[in-house]
Amino acid sequence: MEIECLTVSQINAYINRKLKFDNNLKNVYIKGEISNFKTYPSGHSYFTLKDEKSQIPAVMFKGRKYGLKFQPENGMKVIIKGKIEVYERDGKYQLYASTMTEDGIGNLHIAFEQLKKKLEKEGLFADAHKKPIPKYPQRIGVVTAQTGAAIRDIITTIRRRYPYCEVLVFSTLVQGDMAAGQIVRQIKHAQEYDLDTLIVGRGGGSIEDLWPFNEEIVAREIYACEIPVISAVGHEIDYTISDFVADKRAATPTAAAEIAVPEIKEVQYKVTQLSLRINKSINDKLTLNRAKVENISQKQIFKNPESIYQIKEMHLDSLINKLNFTSSNIISENRNKLLKLESRSVLRNPEEVTKAKKETFLRNVEKLKILNPLLTLKRGYSIAKIDDKVVSSAKDVKSGDELDIEFDDGTINTRVI
């Protein structure tokens, strides 16, 4: 009796058919933790979904990933919708994922946190890049839907608070797949106008409705905008990426209008107060200067201006008297000195003075002659020298020294024996 055998391919195909026709495995939701996540050049992603006790191989084809708004990572806990089938070549069953959300949060929240983290790391949220909102704008632009409560609230609030300001509306879609691109184009378009401030936003809604303001292209366009931007998306509890990257975040569109323009009554009050302060300052200055003028006018010099030069004349007379007195004294002293000089004998008999000086000179000459060493040589004496130095003692001479003996009529050279 022959036994009917099946090939490996046949048994794998049989099992696969069984799984495919099992309605419980056609549309299954499985939650677990991602591990060994890897995306191949084909765009398909392969990973393992596991829990504390078991694991299952899984695949998510490229076409299924278009609906993802976040990047799956190892360690991420997710909920996957898909089907269980056998991969016949390897003879193992695996999970074919069609959708993926993070367990308890959802893919939009994941995408929000991932983009927020990325842009924050790049510095797009830094305070150093925030531009100040002008206090007294003349023209404000609003990028939002042309119809709806948001634009009505913004326009009404601005007209009520600060009617001097012009409002330009740059209409755009604010939800749906095409909204982000339109918002970016309108922000670019708004920069062609001479605007002081730009409000970008919309009214409240679900996270899906507000999602265009979480798109990266919108965030980067707001960051690059040369006009100060106020982000006004949703209600007070709603936060979008646009709120973080804008120069100022408003809780609501109405709040954005209140931030963008001052209250006219407050401005008028400030102007009134400044006017009062200026008038008071001017009046105080006038009063002070008037008092100074009055004080100056009461001085004696203005009552009797002649006293100015009278005092000067008296001072001049005093100086003239001092000059005359000093001059007289100088002349008198010089006259006395002259008289003393005239009374000296040298002036009366200059010849006698000359004769006396001549006699004194001759006496001094005779004294010098006595001290003249040449006269000593004439009397028969001589002078001994060694190297032009006079020898004054026998102790200064030793055997072998050459001596120059100077006489009155000449000099001889000799050597000491």
PDB file of all heavy atoms in Angstrom, residues 30-34 49-50 52 70 73-80 100-106 110:
ATOM      1  N   ILE A  30      -3.756  43.911  16.416  1.00  0.00           N
ATOM      2  CA  ILE A  30      -2.780  43.362  17.341  1.00  0.00           C
ATOM      3  C   ILE A  30      -1.948  44.505  17.913  1.00  0.00           C
ATOM      4  O   ILE A  30      -1.502  45.393  17.182  1.00  0.00           O
ATOM      5  CB  ILE A  30      -1.845  42.360  16.638  1.00  0.00           C
ATOM      6  CG1 ILE A  30      -2.659  41.250  15.971  1.00  0.00           C
ATOM      7  CG2 ILE A  30      -0.866  41.751  17.637  1.00  0.00           C
ATOM      8  CD1 ILE A  30      -1.816  40.272  15.190  1.00  0.00           C
ATOM      9  N   LYS A  31      -1.755  44.498  19.221  1.00  0.00           N
ATOM     10  CA  LYS A  31      -0.904  45.519  19.830  1.00  0.00           C
ATOM     11  C   LYS A  31       0.343  44.856  20.392  1.00  0.00           C
ATOM     12  O   LYS A  31       0.321  43.709  20.870  1.00  0.00           O
ATOM     13  CB  LYS A  31      -1.634  46.286  20.914  1.00  0.00           C
ATOM     14  CG  LYS A  31      -2.059  45.493  22.126  1.00  0.00           C
ATOM     15  CD  LYS A  31      -2.754  46.409  23.116  1.00  0.00           C
ATOM     16  CE  LYS A  31      -3.207  45.654  24.372  1.00  0.00           C
ATOM     17  NZ  LYS A  31      -3.847  46.542  25.341  1.00  0.00           N
ATOM     18  N   GLY A  32       1.435  45.593  20.328  1.00  0.00           N
ATOM     19  CA  GLY A  32       2.700  45.087  20.815  1.00  0.00           C
ATOM     20  C   GLY A  32       3.799  46.118  20.654  1.00  0.00           C
ATOM     21  O   GLY A  32       3.541  47.283  20.300  1.00  0.00           O
ATOM     22  N   GLU A  33       5.027  45.678  20.884  1.00  0.00           N
ATOM     23  CA  GLU A  33       6.185  46.580  20.815  1.00  0.00           C
ATOM     24  C   GLU A  33       7.022  46.256  19.580  1.00  0.00           C
ATOM     25  O   GLU A  33       7.299  45.100  19.296  1.00  0.00           O
ATOM     26  CB  GLU A  33       7.047  46.430  22.072  1.00  0.00           C
ATOM     27  CG  GLU A  33       8.273  47.334  22.087  1.00  0.00           C
ATOM     28  CD  GLU A  33       9.105  47.131  23.333  1.00  0.00           C
ATOM     29  OE1 GLU A  33       8.510  46.977  24.421  1.00  0.00           O
ATOM     30  OE2 GLU A  33      10.356  47.114  23.208  1.00  0.00           O
ATOM     31  N   ILE A  34       7.438  47.297  18.860  1.00  0.00           N
ATOM     32  CA  ILE A  34       8.241  47.123  17.653  1.00  0.00           C
ATOM     33  C   ILE A  34       9.688  46.829  18.025  1.00  0.00           C
ATOM     34  O   ILE A  34      10.265  47.470  18.906  1.00  0.00           O
ATOM     35  CB  ILE A  34       8.182  48.378  16.764  1.00  0.00           C
ATOM     36  CG1 ILE A  34       6.776  48.595  16.221  1.00  0.00           C
ATOM     37  CG2 ILE A  34       9.182  48.289  15.610  1.00  0.00           C
ATOM     38  CD1 ILE A  34       6.623  49.871  15.424  1.00  0.00           C
ATOM     39  N   LEU A  49       6.851  42.215  16.009  1.00  0.00           N
ATOM     40  CA  LEU A  49       5.914  42.740  16.993  1.00  0.00           C
ATOM     41  C   LEU A  49       5.906  41.765  18.167  1.00  0.00           C
ATOM     42  O   LEU A  49       5.655  40.567  17.984  1.00  0.00           O
ATOM     43  CB  LEU A  49       4.510  42.862  16.387  1.00  0.00           C
ATOM     44  CG  LEU A  49       3.497  43.652  17.220  1.00  0.00           C
ATOM     45  CD1 LEU A  49       3.919  45.114  17.317  1.00  0.00           C
ATOM     46  CD2 LEU A  49       2.101  43.555  16.593  1.00  0.00           C
ATOM     47  N   LYS A  50       6.183  42.260  19.362  1.00  0.00           N
ATOM     48  CA  LYS A  50       6.338  41.350  20.487  1.00  0.00           C
ATOM     49  C   LYS A  50       5.649  41.885  21.723  1.00  0.00           C
ATOM     50  O   LYS A  50       5.318  43.081  21.821  1.00  0.00           O
ATOM     51  CB  LYS A  50       7.825  41.132  20.767  1.00  0.00           C
ATOM     52  CG  LYS A  50       8.555  42.399  21.257  1.00  0.00           C
ATOM     53  CD  LYS A  50      10.012  42.119  21.541  1.00  0.00           C
ATOM     54  CE  LYS A  50      10.682  43.372  22.118  1.00  0.00           C
ATOM     55  NZ  LYS A  50      12.094  43.129  22.475  1.00  0.00           N
ATOM     56  N   GLU A  52       5.499  40.513  26.267  1.00  0.00           N
ATOM     57  CA  GLU A  52       6.382  39.928  27.269  1.00  0.00           C
ATOM     58  C   GLU A  52       6.624  38.431  27.042  1.00  0.00           C
ATOM     59  O   GLU A  52       7.667  37.893  27.469  1.00  0.00           O
ATOM     60  CB  GLU A  52       5.790  40.126  28.677  1.00  0.00           C
ATOM     61  CG  GLU A  52       5.695  41.591  29.115  1.00  0.00           C
ATOM     62  CD  GLU A  52       4.451  42.268  28.550  1.00  0.00           C
ATOM     63  OE1 GLU A  52       3.681  41.591  27.841  1.00  0.00           O
ATOM     64  OE2 GLU A  52       4.264  43.477  28.815  1.00  0.00           O
ATOM     65  N   PHE A  70       3.945  59.354  11.077  1.00  0.00           N
ATOM     66  CA  PHE A  70       5.070  59.270  11.990  1.00  0.00           C
ATOM     67  C   PHE A  70       5.998  58.169  11.503  1.00  0.00           C
ATOM     68  O   PHE A  70       5.630  57.347  10.670  1.00  0.00           O
ATOM     69  CB  PHE A  70       4.603  58.981  13.427  1.00  0.00           C
ATOM     70  CG  PHE A  70       4.019  57.605  13.619  1.00  0.00           C
ATOM     71  CD1 PHE A  70       4.792  56.571  14.126  1.00  0.00           C
ATOM     72  CD2 PHE A  70       2.696  57.333  13.283  1.00  0.00           C
ATOM     73  CE1 PHE A  70       4.267  55.301  14.306  1.00  0.00           C
ATOM     74  CE2 PHE A  70       2.164  56.077  13.456  1.00  0.00           C
ATOM     75  CZ  PHE A  70       2.948  55.054  13.972  1.00  0.00           C
ATOM     76  N   GLU A  73       9.616  53.328  15.167  1.00  0.00           N
ATOM     77  CA  GLU A  73      10.937  53.143  15.748  1.00  0.00           C
ATOM     78  C   GLU A  73      10.927  51.962  16.699  1.00  0.00           C
ATOM     79  O   GLU A  73       9.882  51.599  17.260  1.00  0.00           O
ATOM     80  CB  GLU A  73      11.373  54.410  16.506  1.00  0.00           C
ATOM     81  CG  GLU A  73      11.509  55.644  15.621  1.00  0.00           C
ATOM     82  CD  GLU A  73      11.827  56.885  16.444  1.00  0.00           C
ATOM     83  OE1 GLU A  73      11.839  56.769  17.696  1.00  0.00           O
ATOM     84  OE2 GLU A  73      12.049  57.953  15.845  1.00  0.00           O
ATOM     85  N   ASN A  74      12.093  51.374  16.925  1.00  0.00           N
ATOM     86  CA  ASN A  74      12.214  50.277  17.878  1.00  0.00           C
ATOM     87  C   ASN A  74      11.810  50.736  19.276  1.00  0.00           C
ATOM     88  O   ASN A  74      12.150  51.850  19.701  1.00  0.00           O
ATOM     89  CB  ASN A  74      13.653  49.755  17.920  1.00  0.00           C
ATOM     90  CG  ASN A  74      14.024  49.006  16.646  1.00  0.00           C
ATOM     91  OD1 ASN A  74      13.172  48.402  15.998  1.00  0.00           O
ATOM     92  ND2 ASN A  74      15.294  49.037  16.281  1.00  0.00           N
ATOM     93  N   GLY A  75      11.071  49.873  19.962  1.00  0.00           N
ATOM     94  CA  GLY A  75      10.629  50.191  21.305  1.00  0.00           C
ATOM     95  C   GLY A  75       9.288  50.896  21.352  1.00  0.00           C
ATOM     96  O   GLY A  75       8.717  51.097  22.421  1.00  0.00           O
ATOM     97  N   MET A  76       8.754  51.315  20.200  1.00  0.00           N
ATOM     98  CA  MET A  76       7.477  52.006  20.147  1.00  0.00           C
ATOM     99  C   MET A  76       6.333  50.994  20.279  1.00  0.00           C
ATOM    100  O   MET A  76       6.334  49.957  19.632  1.00  0.00           O
ATOM    101  CB  MET A  76       7.363  52.783  18.824  1.00  0.00           C
ATOM    102  CG  MET A  76       6.137  53.654  18.712  1.00  0.00           C
ATOM    103  SD  MET A  76       6.146  54.569  17.127  1.00  0.00           S
ATOM    104  CE  MET A  76       7.505  55.688  17.418  1.00  0.00           C
ATOM    105  N   LYS A  77       5.394  51.306  21.152  1.00  0.00           N
ATOM    106  CA  LYS A  77       4.231  50.438  21.323  1.00  0.00           C
ATOM    107  C   LYS A  77       3.124  50.896  20.386  1.00  0.00           C
ATOM    108  O   LYS A  77       2.746  52.071  20.399  1.00  0.00           O
ATOM    109  CB  LYS A  77       3.760  50.466  22.770  1.00  0.00           C
ATOM    110  CG  LYS A  77       4.775  49.830  23.719  1.00  0.00           C
ATOM    111  CD  LYS A  77       4.250  49.730  25.128  1.00  0.00           C
ATOM    112  CE  LYS A  77       5.269  49.029  26.027  1.00  0.00           C
ATOM    113  NZ  LYS A  77       4.772  48.868  27.400  1.00  0.00           N
ATOM    114  N   VAL A  78       2.645  49.952  19.569  1.00  0.00           N
ATOM    115  CA  VAL A  78       1.697  50.320  18.516  1.00  0.00           C
ATOM    116  C   VAL A  78       0.522  49.342  18.484  1.00  0.00           C
ATOM    117  O   VAL A  78       0.556  48.258  19.070  1.00  0.00           O
ATOM    118  CB  VAL A  78       2.404  50.315  17.139  1.00  0.00           C
ATOM    119  CG1 VAL A  78       3.474  51.382  17.059  1.00  0.00           C
ATOM    120  CG2 VAL A  78       2.986  48.936  16.843  1.00  0.00           C
ATOM    121  N   ILE A  79      -0.507  49.808  17.776  1.00  0.00           N
ATOM    122  CA  ILE A  79      -1.649  48.946  17.443  1.00  0.00           C
ATOM    123  C   ILE A  79      -1.660  48.810  15.928  1.00  0.00           C
ATOM    124  O   ILE A  79      -1.706  49.807  15.207  1.00  0.00           O
ATOM    125  CB  ILE A  79      -2.981  49.532  17.937  1.00  0.00           C
ATOM    126  CG1 ILE A  79      -2.979  49.632  19.472  1.00  0.00           C
ATOM    127  CG2 ILE A  79      -4.155  48.679  17.464  1.00  0.00           C
ATOM    128  CD1 ILE A  79      -4.202  50.319  20.027  1.00  0.00           C
ATOM    129  N   ILE A  80      -1.636  47.554  15.446  1.00  0.00           N
ATOM    130  CA  ILE A  80      -1.561  47.301  14.009  1.00  0.00           C
ATOM    131  C   ILE A  80      -2.837  46.590  13.554  1.00  0.00           C
ATOM    132  O   ILE A  80      -3.275  45.617  14.168  1.00  0.00           O
ATOM    133  CB  ILE A  80      -0.326  46.457  13.657  1.00  0.00           C
ATOM    134  CG1 ILE A  80       0.951  47.249  13.962  1.00  0.00           C
ATOM    135  CG2 ILE A  80      -0.355  46.017  12.203  1.00  0.00           C
ATOM    136  CD1 ILE A  80       2.216  46.485  13.701  1.00  0.00           C
ATOM    137  N   MET A 100      -1.132  51.479  11.140  1.00  0.00           N
ATOM    138  CA  MET A 100      -0.357  51.434  12.377  1.00  0.00           C
ATOM    139  C   MET A 100      -0.572  52.714  13.152  1.00  0.00           C
ATOM    140  O   MET A 100      -0.470  53.820  12.592  1.00  0.00           O
ATOM    141  CB  MET A 100       1.140  51.259  12.067  1.00  0.00           C
ATOM    142  CG  MET A 100       2.024  51.170  13.318  1.00  0.00           C
ATOM    143  SD  MET A 100       3.787  51.171  12.922  1.00  0.00           S
ATOM    144  CE  MET A 100       3.964  49.687  11.944  1.00  0.00           C
ATOM    145  N   THR A 101      -0.917  52.614  14.408  1.00  0.00           N
ATOM    146  CA  THR A 101      -1.033  53.768  15.302  1.00  0.00           C
ATOM    147  C   THR A 101      -0.316  53.423  16.596  1.00  0.00           C
ATOM    148  O   THR A 101      -0.168  52.249  16.952  1.00  0.00           O
ATOM    149  CB  THR A 101      -2.500  54.126  15.610  1.00  0.00           C
ATOM    150  OG1 THR A 101      -3.131  53.001  16.237  1.00  0.00           O
ATOM    151  CG2 THR A 101      -3.244  54.508  14.351  1.00  0.00           C
ATOM    152  N   GLU A 102       0.108  54.471  17.298  1.00  0.00           N
ATOM    153  CA  GLU A 102       0.746  54.207  18.582  1.00  0.00           C
ATOM    154  C   GLU A 102      -0.315  53.850  19.604  1.00  0.00           C
ATOM    155  O   GLU A 102      -1.404  54.435  19.637  1.00  0.00           O
ATOM    156  CB  GLU A 102       1.568  55.405  19.075  1.00  0.00           C
ATOM    157  CG  GLU A 102       2.388  55.065  20.299  1.00  0.00           C
ATOM    158  CD  GLU A 102       3.318  56.176  20.717  1.00  0.00           C
ATOM    159  OE1 GLU A 102       3.057  57.331  20.365  1.00  0.00           O
ATOM    160  OE2 GLU A 102       4.307  55.880  21.402  1.00  0.00           O
ATOM    161  N   ASP A 103      -0.017  52.896  20.413  1.00  0.00           N
ATOM    162  CA  ASP A 103      -0.963  52.392  21.396  1.00  0.00           C
ATOM    163  C   ASP A 103      -1.346  53.484  22.387  1.00  0.00           C
ATOM    164  O   ASP A 103      -0.511  53.998  23.112  1.00  0.00           O
ATOM    165  CB  ASP A 103      -0.338  51.215  22.159  1.00  0.00           C
ATOM    166  CG  ASP A 103      -1.345  50.545  23.089  1.00  0.00           C
ATOM    167  OD1 ASP A 103      -2.542  50.849  22.979  1.00  0.00           O
ATOM    168  OD2 ASP A 103      -0.917  49.705  23.896  1.00  0.00           O
ATOM    169  N   GLY A 104      -2.623  53.910  22.384  1.00  0.00           N
ATOM    170  CA  GLY A 104      -3.139  54.889  23.333  1.00  0.00           C
ATOM    171  C   GLY A 104      -2.964  56.329  22.909  1.00  0.00           C
ATOM    172  O   GLY A 104      -3.457  57.234  23.554  1.00  0.00           O
ATOM    173  N   ILE A 105      -2.222  56.627  21.823  1.00  0.00           N
ATOM    174  CA  ILE A 105      -1.983  58.027  21.429  1.00  0.00           C
ATOM    175  C   ILE A 105      -2.486  58.312  20.028  1.00  0.00           C
ATOM    176  O   ILE A 105      -3.254  59.236  19.803  1.00  0.00           O
ATOM    177  CB  ILE A 105      -0.485  58.381  21.531  1.00  0.00           C
ATOM    178  CG1 ILE A 105      -0.026  58.251  22.981  1.00  0.00           C
ATOM    179  CG2 ILE A 105      -0.225  59.781  21.012  1.00  0.00           C
ATOM    180  CD1 ILE A 105       1.439  58.584  23.173  1.00  0.00           C
ATOM    181  N   GLY A 106      -2.108  57.559  19.064  1.00  0.00           N
ATOM    182  CA  GLY A 106      -2.520  57.830  17.693  1.00  0.00           C
ATOM    183  C   GLY A 106      -1.389  58.402  16.876  1.00  0.00           C
ATOM    184  O   GLY A 106      -0.487  59.065  17.393  1.00  0.00           O
ATOM    185  N   ILE A 110       1.858  61.220  17.408  1.00  0.00           N
ATOM    186  CA  ILE A 110       3.246  60.798  17.237  1.00  0.00           C
ATOM    187  C   ILE A 110       3.967  61.728  16.261  1.00  0.00           C
ATOM    188  O   ILE A 110       5.077  62.199  16.514  1.00  0.00           O
ATOM    189  CB  ILE A 110       3.302  59.348  16.728  1.00  0.00           C
ATOM    190  CG1 ILE A 110       2.662  58.398  17.745  1.00  0.00           C
ATOM    191  CG2 ILE A 110       4.746  58.932  16.455  1.00  0.00           C
ATOM    192  CD1 ILE A 110       2.504  56.985  17.236  1.00  0.00           C
TER     193      ILE A 110
END
